[in-house]
Amino acid sequence: MYGAATTSLSKEVICTLRAGVSTACLYPRVVEEALYDLALAGVGHVEIFINTHAELRTAFIDTLAKLMRRFDAPFPAYLYE
């Protein structure tokens, strides 16, 4: 089985890898435009690459979260930490 390993106790460990795309891949587009394009293209897992401290403001993060909800895409929880 791909992504599985057997331990010395014969328990199977399954590892799941999810591929995604970073908003940085669409540079020089601004983050919200890059995120929109990725969501529109159906990319289910994204890394939001923050370019400035201003993009860490709650209002900006909320705008990105709203965009992700519009496309039923998971929003990276690390942005709220």
Side-chain angles (χ1 to χ4, degrees):
M1 173 187 253
Y2 183 76
T6 304
T7 67
S8 60
L9 300 175
S10 298
K11 293 182 180 178
E12 192 173 288
V13 177
I14 299 173
C15 302
T16 303
L17 176 67
R18 293 186 177 129
V21 180
S22 175
T23 57
C25 292
L26 299 177
Y27 183 83
R29 295 182 68 83
V30 295
V31 174
E32 56 270 40
E33 290 176 5
L35 186 59
Y36 176 82
D37 289 346
L38 292 173
L40 193 61
V43 176
H45 298 282
V46 297
E47 172 200 38
I48 297 174
F49 189 86
I50 300 299
N51 296 300
T52 68
H53 288 135
E55 293 173 346
L56 291 173
R57 293 189 179 135
T58 303
F60 185 77
I61 298 299
D62 288 343
T63 299
L64 298 180
K66 195 178 298 180
L67 175 64
M68 296 298 289
R69 280 193 298 274
R70 180 176 163 196
F71 286 94
D72 293 323
F75 191 73
Y78 63 84
L79 287 175
Y80 281 110
E81 295 175 353

